[in-house]
Structure formats: C-alpha cells, structure tokens
Amino acid sequence: MSELKERWHYQAPLPQGAIEAGQVILRDGTTAELRPVSPGDRGLIAEFLSRTSADARNHRFFGEVSMGEAVERLLSSGDVAERAGLLVLAGHGADVRVIAHGSYVRDGEESAEIAFIVDDAYQGKGLATLLLERLALIAARNGIRCFRAPTETGNVRMRDVFRSSGFTVSESHGDGQIEASLSLEPSERSVEQAETRERVATVASLQAFMKPRSVALVGASRDPASISFRILHNLVLDRFDGPVYPVNPRASVVASMPAYESVGSIPGPVDLAIVAVPSSAVLQVARECGEKGVRALLVISAGFAEIGAQGKRLQEELLGITRSYGMRLLGPNCLGLINTAPGVRLNASFAPSFPPHGPVAMASQSGALGLAVLEYAAELGMGLSSFASLGNKADVSGNDLIQYWEDDPDTRVILLYLESFGNPRRFARLARRVGRSKPIVVVKAGRSGAGSRAASSHTAALAASESATQALFEQTGLIRAETLESMFDTASLLASQPLPQGPRVAVVTNAGGPGILAVDGLEATGLEAPEAPEGLRARLRELLPAAASTGNPIDMIASATARNYRDVVSATLDDEGFDSVLVLFTPIGLEDTHEVALAVREAVGDARSRGNGKPVLTCFMGQDPEELALGGERIPSYRFPEAAAQALGRAYRYASWKRSPMGRMPEFPGLALGEARELVREVRERGGGWLSADEVRRLLSSFGLPLLGERLCDTAEGAAAAAAELGFPVAVKLASRTILHKSEWDGVKLGLDSTAEVQEACAAIEERLREAGRLEELDGFLVQQMAPPGVELMIGVAPDPLFGPLVALGLGGIHVEVLRDVVFRITPLTDRDASQMVRGIKGYRLLTGFRGAPPADREALEEALLRVSRMVEELPEIAELDINPVRALEPGRGCVILDARVRLH
C-alpha cells in the first residue's frame, strides 16, 4: 500500500444536521433556516427578488429578465441527480422571508452549472459559500464532480466566494464573462477552509452565552427558595461584569433591583436571556426575546422533550421560534452556564458555589450531576474556565462547545459528561482535531444496556452501541474515564503537569505496601516501573539509610525525612532513566505531612527552574496538603496509589496518541464509482435486499477488492465447464440471495479435481435443497479457483443508527462469533485506524508467523479495510456486508476474498 500514500483522499465535513435542511449559522453568529425549494415557494421567491437590487438580479440572470421569468427559474426543482435548489430563510410567522438562493443544473455527465443570489442586507455573512458547500455535498453524492459558474467580469464578490471556498478553481475569460470551474473533489485546503468557516461561525454564535454584555432573567422571583431567585443571587453576588435585568410582570422590584414587566420593556440591549418560567409560558417569552433582539436564550425551565411526546412537540416549537429570530438556544431543562473569566464572572446557574478560575472547561448533559460536579471541583480546589449544562440539547450541543473551547485561551482541558451523542460522526471529527491541542476527557453513561441487535450477518450480530462508542474513543484520542472521580483525577494531572514523554515511572515511597500497589497499578495501565539505573542507585545509597531499597519502588523506609523526600525526588527527576515520578507518603508519625509536601514542592520547583518537564504526581494516603501549589502549577495529589497510576496511564496513552501521526485516507486510483452507483440504482429499483453472487462480484471489483477467479453458473454442466476453464482444483458453492449461511446447508465443496467431482458436488447441493423444499431459492453455482494457504479473517460492515457504518475485522469463519475476537471502527477509516485494527485482534500473532507458520501480508489486509471503508462511504445504501473469509497470504502476495455477501437498503 506504500505507493498509494503518495496521494490522499479527503472527505468534506458534514454538517450537524441534514445536508439539505436545518439550521445554519452565519458568519456573524446569527442563525437561519435552510431547506430545498418547493413548488409552493412562488410567493416567497417573488418577494425575495423584489427586495434584491437590480445589480444582484443582473449578476444572477446575466442581464435583465422579467420578474415572472426570474421567479420561474429560481422555482425550478426536480430530481437532485439533475438539478437542485436550496433556500435560506429568516424571520418568523408571517414575516418569514428568503434571504438567499442557490442551485445547480446538470449540464454534462459529471458537471453542473451553479448560481447564487443573496439578499443585499445579508451580503458578507457567508451565505453564498454556505450554499456552495451544501450543493457540492448533494452533487457529489449524485456523481457530479465539477461545478461551472459563468460569472460577469464585474461580479467581484462572487469570484471571491469561489476563490476563498478552498475548492480548486480555474477561470476562462471571454466576451465580458468569466467561467469559473470548481472541482468538487475535496482537498486538504478545501476541508481546512470549511472547518475554519464552521468554527468561526459557531464561536461567534456562542459569544452571547459565554461573554454577554448584559443579561435578562425572565421569571425573576421574590421567593428566596425559588430557582430563579438563586440565579439572580448568583448573577449579582458573583459580580457579573455587566447589567442584570430582572423580568417579572407582577413586581416592580426584585431583590432590591428594579424589575421589568417584559423583556421588551428593558431600556438597553440584551445579549443573554435566562428563562425560568413554567414551560407553558416559555414560547411567548422566546418570541418577546426575539423581538427584543436577544442573541442567546438559556432555558432553565423543564417540561419539554424529557417528559414525552407532548413535551417534545413543545420543544420543537421552541426551537422553531429561536431559529426564526436568529437566536441560539441552550437547554431547555438545564442547570445553567458559568464563565469564571475575570472580565466576565458569569454565574447564570442555580449552582450553590462559584468555582475558582482555572484551565478546565466542562459540559454536562445532566443538570443534577452538574451540581455535584461543581461541588466536587470546589473540594478539589480545581479551577474551571467555564461550565455548561446542556439539558435536552435542543440546539447548542457538546460539538458546539468543543469548537468554542478549541480556541479559548483560558481552557487547557475539556471535560464532557455525556448520556448520548447527537451527531457522533461530527463529534469524532471535531474531537480528533481539537484533541491534538487540548485533551478531552469523557464519561459516557449508558454503556451497559446496549445488547446486540438482531441481524442476519456475522458483523451485525456482533455490533452494538458500546462497540461503536469504544471505536470512537480509540479513533479520536478521547480519554475515556469510567467514573466522574476518575475524570477529575485525570483532569487534575492534565491541567497542571506536562505530558509524560515515555512509560517509565519512578515510585518514591516511605512504605513498602503502597509502593507495591503503585507498581501494580502502573503496569496494569500499560506503564512501566523499571529498576533504577545503577548511576542513580549509587547516588541514592549516598542519600538514604542502608536499609532503604534503591530499586523501584525506591523505598526510603518509615524513617524518611522531608529532606530525604526533597533529595530523592530531585535525583529521580534529573535521571534520564525515568519519564515521570510518583511520590507516596504514608503518615506514620515520624515526619510532618506538610513538611514533606513543602520538600516535594521545593524539589519540583528546582527541577522546573532547570527546564525539567517531567510530570510529578503525589499520594499523601488519605490527605491533601495545601502546600503542593507551585506558582501557576499545582502538583496533583491522590488519596490512593491506584488512582494516581490510572490517571498517569490515561495521560500517557493520550500523549502517545498526540505524538503519533494523524491518520489519513489513501486515494485509490481507478475506482469505478459510476459503475458501482449504477449497480446500486438497479438494486434499489427492485426494492433492495441481498445481492446475487454476480452483483457482489461487480460491486467489490468496482472498488478494487481482491477476488478469486470465479464463474456463476446456472447448471451443473455449466459449472463443470467453468471449472475446466479456471483450472483445477476448484471450489463449488451454493449461490442464493436468501440462503445466507452456506455451511449450514452443506453448500461449500472444496478441492474438486475433475469435472465429474464438480457435477457430483452440484447435484448434492441441489438434492439437499430439494429435500428441504427450498430448491427454488438456488440462484446457481459459484465455481472458484482454490486460494493459496493463509490466515482466514472476516471483514464486515454493519450500520449503527447513530454512528453510521461500523467496519469490523476478526478471525474468519464461525470463529468470529464463537470467540468474539473482533475489532470495530467507525468509517471513514484512516491508514492509522486500519493498522490498529489489524494489530488489535487477539489473534494478531497468527498474522506474524506463529510457531513456524509463514506471516501474513498485513499491509494488504489494511488496504482491503480501507477500500471497504471507501465503498460504504461512497455508497450509503450498503446496509450489511460480510467478507468471510478473506484469506491473508504471505507477505507480498496480498489477500484474497473467498466469500462475500452484501445487502442494500
């Protein structure tokens, strides 16, 4: 596969929702609605064109055209394979209006003409680029590879759109016009540009939440026991840096502050409105906020999707209102929002405490859990940059917040408590990118009740939601914590210490038992506790009593003094034989805990002054001394050695992932994508289902997957003739679109050496089916060349309702279900993913030459995985796929598919 890595395949980023419909975020952070053009839009389009300037219409239609003709041309729609039109709308109720239109019309086998028109008042907000991106995604799925855009020479703005899009653009000039040609093949630049535009817009849309200039609290109560009173109390006493406006139609004063009858009666502008009223009143409040020009709506109120169908309808109506006014919505049913930045100090929550400012940001899907988390962070003395309770995630999600925190200078570590994934494929893409600069630690709840889905293929039978979740963590560098406590243990280390550069850990202790527990914990997490190098041991013998152990753990015995701790920690930090240092102290009564903590702090401070960047962790056995703060650094302390070892293990795995090359997708030349799509279209027209043997061969061949020489034959005589043509020995297999497991019907005959044996095998298969009354299900006989010896594996694809296609690799035949030795990954796979899959199965040693057997061609196996991934990304109609077995041959000889089944939606 090495020669393939000279060219890389890039995949355009997908939006949060559907490609052709849903909320879009403009460059300035406001929102609008995207949807396809429909025949009922005549009035909306006519009104839109009446508002646009003559210049804009002339640029769009290349001169003056009648209003009626212009409307008809923008109204035109049909099969998206031939033409597509999209509208962007703003406004609410009767005031809904079109603000942009984009369309393409196919004019060649792989090309289409594209055009846009944008409301003059919305120019410069990225609408044309946004429409270009969405139309390109739709067109690419329909085999269009190029957009043509005839443009007047004077239409500078549109030419800038094309040039800044990131697509490869070429221009030809003539007769006062320029024809721009845009290749829709994603490139590194086009992907980077699209991701940057999305991030800029998302961050802009969240500014009113995170850094509001003013806040209104709607539903402010005089009752000190109410949630809204606590929110108002927090806003004021935690010193929000801006005006706070209580809104209560039945009170003129709340908490000694002037109150307002409605949001509309507030004299100044409002960036953020916090809504704490009964759910039945929320919609009207949202409309009033929209009319006021509020940018961000934080809905504390419950009674929405979490209570059932009626609440879900209410939530959808609320979301429609916020979108129609260009607002963003956090919640509903949430705890609130906190930003500790000194210039903001926003406590828009009913949490009882305001955390100190620090480098950790957190989002929680559970409000109640958020309260406990904030209390626990306060106990630990861990500073937070910001905290957001997501509630029902009607609009603002963890994906949005990750993008905000990506560029937030106050945030170094991101924590997430999630109960569900809204768009896991987009989440995976964001996490993979953001994780390169900032660690993301996640607790994912709900892992135990997944179970397997009923399905007919091996792969689908093995796949479960937890398989997809674990694959996501493996692929993205996310740090998975099993509990909230372990999340904060890990965050304490990541927020305050350098990342470990290697696995070697020195354990410094004054008691043997905790030292042994620490070593066991370290090795269980993949770290090492090697013997101290001889040079260091000689130095330690000079520093410690004769009874001390200078191996590892370095046991200074119970009489160890604070001076011993300072000297030994300093020595281990300086020694090149270790990458990290874990310091344990058991309070035996011979030395003061605080003196030891000061000694450790002094040793670490001296090491830092010498440029030593090794991480240091401590365990003061049930205590947490305050003396471990060191300027802007805090040396993390844990109650027990195992917790420290696990936190360091997670940090080391993250550091290893961060240092490894970013995975990429090779470009495979010569793929017959058009033929594959035509085959899929044919099968879809007959209602989908399992493909015939011939169709499977056509599909796999289109993507360059390695197949044996084979023939599909209707009769035993034809099979015998095909066998003679292919050359003996051969295999004969039952071919059927409804009988899926051939071995259960004795439908596989191997090593046949003559035409007579082939005919006998065919007759036996026919007889077996006749006896069972299923002869009509026989499509024919598949005659195959016999494959060379090798290791048999299985490659499969199963859909997950949230994560999309899962690719599986495991041992072949029935062993994959019996032994469950299978690894899953979410598509699209990178070369790094494929390599990890091959090395991740328990049977990997069989591929390396076990007990004298020849090794297998692992690189060819990786390439097969990547080609399968590309196939299911290009053809989302693939519902299930089993390549079982695929035989990995000796190195240099590749691999070959012996049997495969494919089902289409």
Side-chain angles (χ1 to χ4, degrees):
M1 189 173 62
S2 56
E3 70 276 5
L4 296 172
K5 294 186 178 181
E6 296 178 4
R7 291 188 62 206
W8 299 102
H9 173 71
Y10 297 92
Q11 197 159 35
L14 294 175
Q16 176 77 11
I19 292 171
E20 71 284 351
Q23 177 181 258
V24 292
I25 305 175
L26 281 56
R27 188 177 294 154
D28 63 355
T30 57
T31 65
E33 192 78 13
L34 176 78
R35 66 167 174 80
V37 174
S38 71
D41 291 326
R42 186 180 306 278
L44 283 172
I45 290 175
E47 192 275 334
F48 166 57
L49 290 174
S50 71
R51 279 186 283 108
T52 56
S53 65
D55 281 347
R57 293 196 300 272
N58 288 338
H59 286 318
R60 170 60 179 84
F61 300 108
F62 293 94
E64 293 186 14
V65 296
S66 69
M67 185 62 72
E69 181 183 349
V71 170
E72 291 302 322
R73 287 170 65 175
L74 296 194
L75 195 61
S76 178
S77 61
D79 182 356
V80 292
E82 299 300 322
R83 60 174 65 235
L86 296 177
L87 297 177
V88 182
L89 302 104
H92 52 279
D95 296 328
V96 170
R97 62 196 183 281
V98 175
I99 59 173
H101 177 283
S103 63
Y104 70 72
V105 178
R106 194 172 202 134
D107 62 358
E109 185 176 343
E110 294 189 337
S111 67
E113 183 177 319
I114 191 167
F116 309 97
I117 182 168
V118 177
D119 188 323
D120 296 29
Y122 284 83
Q123 295 283 347
K125 295 189 177 185
L127 280 168
T129 305
L130 188 149
L131 285 167
L132 172 61
E133 290 176 354
R134 298 300 181 92
L135 289 168
L137 288 170
I138 297 169
R141 288 189 171 182
N142 288 279
I144 296 171
R145 296 284 175 262
C146 171
F147 276 160
R148 292 191 317 102
T151 308
E152 292 178 323
T153 306
N155 194 352
V156 176
R157 184 168 280 169
M158 190 54 62
R159 293 174 65 189
D160 287 343
V161 166
F162 298 148
R163 290 168 179 166
S164 64
S165 66
F167 292 111
T168 302
V169 182
S170 59
E171 292 184 345
S172 58
H173 298 250
D175 297 329
Q177 289 187 3
I178 297 172
E179 180 165 302
S181 179
L182 291 77
S183 169
L184 302 189
E185 187 70 28
S187 66
E188 185 173 14
R189 180 171 177 265
S190 70
V191 169
E192 183 180 323
Q193 293 281 81
E195 290 181 338
T196 298
R197 285 190 292 269
E198 181 193 38
R199 185 166 71 248
V200 167
T202 301
V203 170
S205 75
L206 297 182
Q207 289 292 344
F209 287 109
M210 294 297 192
K211 298 179 180 178
R213 293 165 297 181
S214 57
V215 175
L217 174 60
V218 185
S221 172
R222 289 177 164 182
D223 180 4
S226 67
I227 284 178
S228 62
F229 187 91
R230 288 169 59 184
I231 296 172
L232 184 62
H233 175 276
N234 289 343
L235 284 167
V236 175
L237 292 192
D238 289 325
R239 305 192 309 278
F240 168 62
D241 192 18
V244 176
Y245 303 109
V247 176
N248 185 330
R250 292 183 295 276
S252 58
V253 175
V254 175
S256 302
M257 300 172 65
Y260 297 88
E261 184 179 2
S262 67
V263 174
S265 62
I266 295 172
V270 176
D271 281 346
L272 170 64
I274 307 166
V275 182
V277 300
S279 58
S280 58
V282 169
L283 301 188
Q284 180 57 35
V285 170
R287 293 187 187 95
E288 292 173 2
C289 289
E291 294 291 343
K292 175 66 177 175
V294 171
R295 294 287 299 273
L297 203 65
L298 170 56
V299 179
I300 306 293
S301 313
F304 291 87
E306 78 279 2
I307 68 168
Q310 183 178 349
K312 185 177 181 181
R313 287 192 294 272
L314 191 65
Q315 182 170 301
E316 289 171 352
E317 192 172 349
L318 171 62
L319 184 58
I321 292 169
T322 58
R323 287 180 174 177
S324 70
Y325 284 99
M327 294 185 288
R328 297 220 65 185
L329 168 66
L330 180 59
N333 184 35
C334 71
L335 164 67
L337 178 71
I338 293 173
N339 185 352
T340 67
V344 181
R345 295 192 61 84
L346 174 71
N347 189 354
S349 77
F350 53 93
S353 60
F354 189 67
H357 184 57
V360 179
M362 182 174 182
S364 173
Q365 198 168 335
S366 165
L369 199 69
L371 288 170
V373 161
L374 290 170
E375 285 295 306
Y376 188 56
E379 287 179 23
L380 295 176
M382 178 183 291
L384 299 182
S385 60
S386 51
F387 171 87
S389 170
L390 296 170
N392 292 358
K393 296 197 300 183
D395 178 17
V396 174
S397 68
N399 290 349
D400 295 303
L401 291 168
I402 287 172
Q403 292 190 89
Y404 180 86
W405 288 324
E406 179 178 7
D407 293 325
D408 178 24
D410 289 336
T411 299
R412 290 206 302 269
V413 181
I414 298 170
L415 308 183
L416 301 174
Y417 170 77
L418 300 176
E419 295 171 355
S420 63
F421 293 103
N423 187 331
R425 285 165 68 82
R426 184 165 174 262
F427 175 73
R429 187 162 193 149
L430 292 173
R432 188 183 271 134
R433 185 186 78 216
V434 177
R436 289 283 161 174
S437 58
K438 296 181 181 181
I440 303 174
V441 189
V442 183
V443 171
K444 170 63 174 68
R447 60 186 297 175
S448 60
S452 297
R453 293 185 304 278
S456 50
S457 70
H458 288 298
T459 313
L462 290 163
S465 294
E466 177 57 23
S467 303
T469 302
Q470 186 58 35
L472 184 147
F473 280 87
E474 295 285 349
Q475 288 174 263
T476 58
L478 289 165
I479 302 168
R480 187 170 196 175
E482 304 300 323
T483 65
L484 289 168
E485 185 175 15
S486 62
M487 169 192 275
F488 278 94
D489 286 344
T490 307
S492 296
L493 173 60
L494 294 170
S496 62
Q497 293 294 298
L499 290 173
Q501 297 301 302
R504 303 166 302 172
V505 184
V507 178
V508 179
T509 181
N510 68 340
I516 295 170
L517 288 174
V519 170
D520 288 345
L522 291 168
E523 293 189 350
T525 63
L527 295 167
E528 302 169 7
E531 287 285 319
E534 184 53 41
L536 175 60
R537 299 184 71 169
R539 184 179 176 190
L540 294 175
R541 283 193 288 268
E542 296 175 358
L543 297 172
L544 297 173
S549 171
T550 59
N552 195 15
I554 300 168
D555 187 354
M556 301 181 295
I557 66 175
S559 60
T561 65
R563 176 64 181 267
N564 291 144
Y565 268 95
R566 188 189 68 186
D567 292 343
V568 172
V569 170
S570 180
T572 53
L573 282 171
D574 286 342
D575 194 275
E576 294 183 358
F578 295 110
D579 305 297
S580 307
V581 178
L582 173 55
V583 183
L584 311 177
F585 175 72
T586 303
I588 303 172
L590 303 180
E591 187 60 277
D592 181 71
T593 298
H594 301 289
E595 291 298 321
V596 172
L598 286 170
V600 172
R601 186 180 76 181
E602 184 179 343
V604 174
D606 290 344
R608 298 293 186 255
S609 68
R610 298 191 298 273
N612 188 307
K614 295 179 184 178
V616 178
L617 300 82
T618 65
C619 172
F620 279 79
M621 297 299 287
Q623 302 180 59
D624 187 13
E626 297 178 356
E627 291 81 5
L628 293 173
L630 180 67
E633 174 183 344
R634 180 177 176 82
I635 304 167
S637 179
Y638 302 87
R639 292 190 176 183
F640 299 106
E642 299 92 335
Q646 290 168 7
L648 186 58
R650 293 188 191 97
Y652 173 65
R653 288 192 294 275
Y654 167 71
S656 300
W657 173 84
K658 186 176 178 181
R659 285 192 296 267
S660 65
M662 181 76 85
R664 305 175 82 176
M665 294 177 282
E667 179 61 84
F668 297 109
L671 300 184
L673 299 179
E675 294 177 19
R677 289 196 178 95
E678 177 60 24
L679 170 62
V680 168
R681 186 189 62 78
E682 293 172 5
V683 177
R684 285 177 60 186
E685 286 179 354
R686 72 168 187 243
W690 291 98
L691 273 60
S692 69
D694 182 59
E695 289 168 338
V696 169
R697 183 177 184 83
R698 287 168 55 194
L699 180 64
L700 300 185
S701 297
S702 298
F703 285 86
L705 285 157
L707 298 166
L708 286 169
E710 62 183 29
R711 300 285 189 277
L712 179 63
C713 306
D714 296 331
T715 63
E717 292 75 14
E725 182 182 343
L726 290 170
F728 295 103
V730 297
V732 170
K733 300 178 181 180
L734 179 160
S736 172
R737 279 176 285 184
T738 55
I739 299 174
L740 303 179
H741 300 290
K742 300 178 180 65
S743 59
E744 295 178 3
W745 295 87
D746 195 24
V748 179
K749 309 291 185 181
L750 303 177
L752 307 178
D753 287 314
S754 67
T755 55
E757 289 184 15
V758 169
Q759 289 181 315
E760 289 173 10
C762 292
I765 292 171
E766 281 187 327
E767 182 60 27
R768 178 80 175 84
L769 293 178
R770 185 179 293 107
E771 290 175 358
R774 300 185 66 175
L775 184 60
E776 71 281 357
E777 297 179 56
L778 179 67
D779 293 338
F781 307 99
L782 189 66
V783 183
Q784 285 184 331
Q785 295 174 328
M786 290 295 293
V791 181
E792 292 193 352
L793 299 106
M794 179 276 297
I795 296 174
V797 174
D800 184 277
L802 274 180
F803 291 79
L806 299 180
V807 175
L809 175 70
L811 292 178
I814 63 172
H815 299 97
V816 67
E817 288 193 69
V818 174
L819 302 178
R820 301 191 75 84
D821 182 12
V822 61
V823 176
F824 286 93
R825 288 293 184 270
I826 302 166
T827 63
L829 300 184
T830 66
D831 54 350
R832 185 175 184 272
D833 296 329
S835 176
Q836 287 185 332
M837 289 181 75
V838 171
R839 286 154 182 77
I841 59 173
K842 297 171 187 174
Y844 174 64
R845 291 179 64 192
L846 296 174
L847 304 176
T848 62
F850 185 67
R851 290 193 176 179
D857 195 332
R858 288 164 282 175
E859 193 169 89
L861 199 57
E862 292 171 19
E863 181 177 332
L865 286 166
L866 290 165
R867 288 181 181 272
V868 167
S869 170
R870 180 71 182 275
M871 178 168 63
V872 297
E873 286 293 306
E874 294 284 351
L875 304 174
E877 296 87 351
I878 293 177
E880 292 182 55
L881 177 147
D882 260 3
I883 298 175
N884 187 16
V886 55
R887 184 172 293 176
L889 310 179
E890 295 181 25
R893 298 189 65 187
C895 62
V896 63
I897 293 170
L898 276 61
D899 199 5
R901 291 179 288 121
V902 181
R903 181 173 68 85
L904 300 187
H905 289 299

